[in-house]
Amino acid sequence: MIRETFLRHGLSAAAVVGAMICSALLLAAAVEDLLQSKITTSVRANAQAHAFNWTDRFLSTTPSATSMIAEGAASEEDIRRISDPILLGGILHLQLFNKDGVPTFVTGHSNFDPSRAQTENALKVLEHQQPIVELFHMDHSDQEELDHLPEIANLDAHDARDGHETHGDLGEHESGEIPHAFAQAFLPAYSPSGELQGVIQVNVDVSHLMESLEMTFHEVGEYLIVGTLLIVLVPVAAFAFRAWQVIRADKQKLELNRFDRLTGVLNRNAISDVLDTHFGPGKDPAGLGILFIDVDNFKQVNDRFGHQCGDQVLKHTAAALKANLPGDGHGDVHVVGRYGGDEFLVLCPQATMDDLRAVYSQMRASVRRPIDCHGTAFVTSLSIGAYVAQAEDTKRSALHAADLAVYEAKRRGRDQAVEYEPELGEKATHFSRPDERADGETSPDPASGATA
């Protein structure tokens, strides 16, 4: 009797324990599937937003975008631009289809033969005018996986194995392999007038985001295996919060890349992007007010008071410029950016020289507030070149005019503003000064405020 009771209770206990273990395992498996689904949804949404941002930038800053989509015709300068790693921002591969669904342009290998799946996706986008985003996730060592994905093997895998190039090296990694996770996005391309031009297909590298989310998942998943129903719910909530943090941090990182870390104003690349929106084919730059600003005697401040004081001067100057921008000073209409070590650029659309005069007068007065550094008070000043762009100006010629004006302000003794006049010199396509700041190639990168 006792043995039978013990056996019965033992079997019951074993059944309960087994049921709990099975329930925990089933719940863990269900939660794993759910979390993997959330990972995929989050990564796909992030990739689609990234692809849209890059495509908008490509269409607005590439003069030959329309001809590239229609017939594959691109200038060497545009090919160089879309192959620039700084401008790519995680884009691995670019492919264009015209409005008939015919492929016209591709970056990567020379044997351009898109798969049926890619062509079908392009035709679907043209028909419904809705984006299509597909996520591919594979192990780096699993090369056989590529053979089961003809739309990838036909393009990116071919690039990784053979190293062929047609236009730039957009699809080529330093490791010679494609990333283990990337999204293939097919997006409708519209002209400035709203007319559908074709389809832009880009491959977006989502490896970093996927790895971050998966790492978090595996850390949480270990506890889910041995958890109970209540314990399972806790890591699920923790994972959801952590996934949200990772995505938010990724978005914040992308946003921070637009701003100078020391002064908080737009950095050189970001202010150059703003300039690109005002110049180029189909753009009328007339009325764009440009203030080219140099901090006077900045090298002497660094030498005499130290780089910490130099950083303080730059932050003080940036704050004074932002505080005196027209309007609220926080929009994308009137902007200020750090263009070099001690150089700033202020852009005021739809401005006259009288408008610029009022702006730079307030900025000069504001920046002259005393700065206290290590118990020593001193006053800084600015040399400013002012120019209002004309309809025939290019980005280079407009910056050249403002640069000539600021150079003249320094020549006259600094601490003043000079408004550009033709007498200062003919606007040319090449700078007479060695730094060639409008070209954006040799001017110092403002990575630290301690540069002279």
Side-chain angles (χ1 to χ4, degrees), residues 319-330:
L321 299 182
K322 288 195 297 183
N324 290 280
L325 283 175
D328 59 12
H330 300 289

Side-chain angles (χ1 to χ4, degrees), residues 54-63 65 273 276-277 279 281 283:
W54 190 90
T55 299
D56 289 342
R57 184 174 179 183
F58 165 75
L59 293 173
S60 63
T61 61
T62 305
D273 286 344
D276 289 337
T277 64
F279 294 91
K283 304 293 179 63

